[in-house]
Each structure stands twice: as structure tokens, then as C-alpha cells.
Amino acid sequence: QVQLVESGGGLVQAGGSLRLSCAASGRTFSRYAMGWFRQAPGKEREFVAAISWTGGSTKYADSAKGRFTISRDNAKNTVYLQMNSLKPEDTAVYYCAGGSSSIYSDYSRYDSWGQGTQVTVSS
């Protein structure tokens, strides 16, 4: 498994931006697709975005398209999630996921998870 540590969460007003980071260590980071998921209170964990190991392919949930951008820097073993035009409904704990063979939206396809970082968007 790869060890993942998220950072960058916080409180922001609606319309604002945040950039989440996920630092990886352990198993070779650059060989695996990475993803971001989120979970709001009382709701199931849901897919947000994923990126291939090269960074050449990405996938987004409909709720993230046009507002969020996933990227990675394999030299730094880090994946990012740039979130713009944030809405109150984006409030959730955001989790970084790793170890997938492709850009799946199914969380069961990932075998490594971070501890999560809280994102709160106020109206």
C-alpha cells in the first residue's frame, strides 16, 4: 500500500477556492492512478475526480466538472485538487485514494486511503 496524507482543507465562503494536496509515500506513487472522494455527514462516500498515473487522463463527477481540477506531480509524489466556485453542498470530508490501475469512480478499486481533510463552505 501507499501512505497518503491530505492537507489544504478549511473554511471558505461560497464562490471561493481551495487547493487540496495529497502527499504519498511507500509504494511507487507514479505507477498508479489516484482519486479524490468526499463524504458529507449522513451520506455515502462519493467520487469527485481521478487521474491516471501519467496525468494524461482525468475523470470527474458531474458535480465537479468545470469547477474542480485534479493534477499530479510525480516528482513530488503529490496529487492536487483545485476547487473553484465552491458551493455549500461541497461541504464534506475529502479523501485521497491511491493504488488503482485506472481512473475508476468506484471507491472499491482503490486500496490506499488518507485520513481525510474537512472542507466547509459557508453560504
Side-chain angles (χ1 to χ4, degrees):
Q1 288 188 340
V2 60
Q3 288 73 47
L4 305 171
V5 178
E6 302 98 333
S7 61
L11 174 64
V12 64
Q13 289 189 332
S17 298
L18 283 174
R19 188 176 83 154
L20 306 183
S21 298
C22 173
S25 61
R27 189 176 58 184
T28 305
F29 167 82
S30 62
R31 296 182 180 178
Y32 296 93
M34 302 291 293
W36 286 96
F37 291 75
R38 67 186 183 186
Q39 188 166 19
K43 295 188 177 181
E44 294 185 353
R45 189 169 299 191
E46 65 174 0
F47 171 74
V48 177
I51 188 166
S52 63
W53 70 273
T54 64
S57 296
T58 57
K59 185 175 185 177
Y60 295 92
D62 287 344
S63 59
K65 288 179 182 176
R67 300 188 299 127
F68 295 2
T69 302
I70 189 171
S71 61
R72 67 190 295 164
D73 185 339
N74 287 342
K76 296 182 178 179
N77 285 356
T78 302
V79 63
Y80 305 97
L81 185 68
Q82 177 68 44
M83 303 187 295
N84 299 327
S85 302
L86 283 162
K87 305 174 181 179
E89 50 264 44
D90 294 318
T91 296
V93 177
Y94 283 71
Y95 297 91
C96 177
S100 179
S101 60
S102 188
I103 49 174
Y104 297 110
S105 57
D106 182 351
Y107 69 84
S108 68
R109 294 285 192 163
Y110 299 81
D111 66 5
S112 300
W113 293 85
Q115 82 289 349
T117 185
Q118 177 70 47
V119 171
T120 302
V121 184
S122 63
S123 58

